[in-house]
Amino acid sequence: MRKPIMAGNWKMYKTPTEAEDFVKALAPQVKDVQDKVILLCAPATALQKLSEAAVGTNIFIGGENLFWEDEGAFTGEISAPMLKAVGCSYVIIGHSERRQYFGETDETVNKKLKAAIKHNLNAIVCVGETLVQREANETFKVIEKQIKDGLSGLATRDWGLVTIAYEPVWAIGTGKTASPEQAQDVHAHIRKLLPKEIGNDVRILYGGSVKPENVKELMAKPDIDGGLVGGAALKVESFVKLIKY
Ligand code: PEP
C-alpha cells in the first residue's frame, strides 16, 4: 500500500516566525490524520524553527533543494547533512523553477538524488513538460528522459527513499490544472518506466494548481499518490482541506 503524501512547497515564502505560527495552527487540526504523510517543505531559513514547532506532531519537514557535496567551498549551498541537522526528513529535487531559473539539469538532479539517498533523506524528484512540449506531443518523451537520466544508477534498496512528483510546468502557479485523466495517463506511464520490482511501491505525486476544489478527483486516480502543492499550501485553512480531502 502506498500511503499518500500531501506536501506543501512554500517556495520563497514565509519567515521563521510565520512558519512557526503556521505549524502551531495546523498541528491541532490534523493531529488525527493517520492515512497520509503530511509534509511541509520550506525555505532553508525557516527549517530550524519549523522543525522545533513540529516536534511531537505528525508533520514532517523538508528542504526545497540541496547540494550534492556534504560540505566545502560552495557559497550559498546547503547539504543533505545540514538539512538533516535541522530536522528534515525530506527534500524536493529538480523542481521546474530550479530547472528554469537556476540551470538544474537531469544530471544535477541525479547527483542531488544520490546525495539525499546517501544520507537517508527522502527525495521528491520533480518531472514535467512545458506547454510547448505538451502541444508538440512530446510529454512522454520529455518525462522518459527526465526519469531515465535523473533517476539513473539507483540500487533496488534506494527506491524506498524516492518519491516522484509529476508537475506539468504549464500548470504550476497558473491556476490551470491537468485534468485527472491527463495526470493519470502520465502517472501510469511513469510507473511503467520504473524498475518492475519496485514500480508499485513508489509514490507518484501530482503537482500543478492543486486546490481544495480539485483535490478529490485528482486523488481518486489509481496512480496519483498525493500532491505537491504551492499556492494552496500557504494558508492553513486550504492546506487542512487538502490534507482531509
Ligand atoms: C509547486 O510549487 O510545486 C506547485 C505545484 O505550485 P502550485 O500548486 O501553486 O501550482
Side-chain angles (χ1 to χ4, degrees):
M1 259 304 272
R2 302 185 298 266
K3 189 171 183 174
I5 303 180
M6 195 50 70
N9 169 24
W10 279 351
K11 312 193 186 205
M12 201 172 72
Y13 291 99
K14 296 200 190 292
T15 62
T17 308
E18 288 166 345
E20 186 182 23
D21 292 347
F22 188 101
V23 170
K24 282 188 178 155
L26 174 68
Q29 300 189 57
V30 297
K31 67 177 185 338
D32 296 327
V33 174
Q34 286 172 2
D35 58 345
K36 291 171 205 99
V37 174
I38 302 169
L39 171 65
L40 288 172
C41 297
T45 46
L47 292 173
Q48 176 78 42
K49 264 258 160 61
L50 199 54
S51 324
E52 283 164 13
V55 168
T57 73
N58 54 349
I59 300 166
F60 290 86
I61 306 301
E64 297 178 8
N65 180 32
L66 85 170
F67 189 61
W68 53 81
E69 296 290 347
D70 289 357
E71 59 181 10
F74 304 105
T75 302
E77 295 296 327
I78 295 165
S79 69
M82 290 171 177
L83 288 176
K84 291 203 75 173
V86 291
C88 291
S89 44
Y90 282 81
V91 63
I92 299 172
I93 298 175
H95 190 280
S96 67
E97 286 150 17
R98 300 236 29 111
R99 294 178 190 254
Q100 189 180 347
Y101 302 123
F102 304 101
E104 295 216 0
T105 62
D106 295 327
E107 287 66 39
T108 60
V109 165
N110 189 249
K111 287 180 164 189
K112 291 179 178 202
L113 173 60
K114 286 178 177 158
I117 289 170
K118 179 178 152 203
H119 291 283
N120 213 25
L121 203 49
N122 293 284
I124 300 180
V125 179
C126 303
V127 298
E129 82 287 3
T130 63
L131 187 57
V132 172
Q133 290 164 335
R134 175 161 280 265
E135 286 175 345
N137 275 326
E138 289 174 359
T139 300
F140 283 4
K141 191 177 102 190
V142 169
I143 303 284
E144 277 163 26
K145 184 182 179 313
Q146 290 172 336
I147 297 277
K148 186 172 149 283
D149 295 349
L151 287 93
S152 71
L154 302 194
T156 304
R157 66 174 181 282
D158 297 339
W159 284 93
L161 290 164
V162 177
T163 297
I164 295 169
Y166 169 56
E167 300 208 304
V169 178
W170 49 272
I172 298 178
T174 57
K176 286 186 200 151
T177 319
S179 70
E181 292 69 32
Q182 282 173 321
Q184 167 60 25
D185 274 358
V186 180
H187 281 232
H189 189 69
I190 291 173
R191 205 173 295 290
K192 278 196 215 129
L193 300 171
L194 304 178
K196 264 205 185 63
E197 61 278 21
I198 49 85
N200 278 327
D201 300 328
V202 173
R203 283 174 293 206
I204 307 174
L205 313 183
Y206 170 76
S209 299
V210 176
K211 38 192 178 242
E213 299 76 49
N214 59 25
V215 65
K216 209 177 170 114
E217 45 180 8
L218 284 162
M219 299 307 145
K221 293 293 178 192
D223 287 294
I224 301 185
D225 307 313
L228 181 57
V229 185
L234 287 169
K235 293 237 157 62
V236 174
E237 194 192 345
S238 55
F239 195 48
V240 169
K241 286 186 183 153
L242 294 180
I243 293 164
K244 297 188 174 175
Y245 66 80

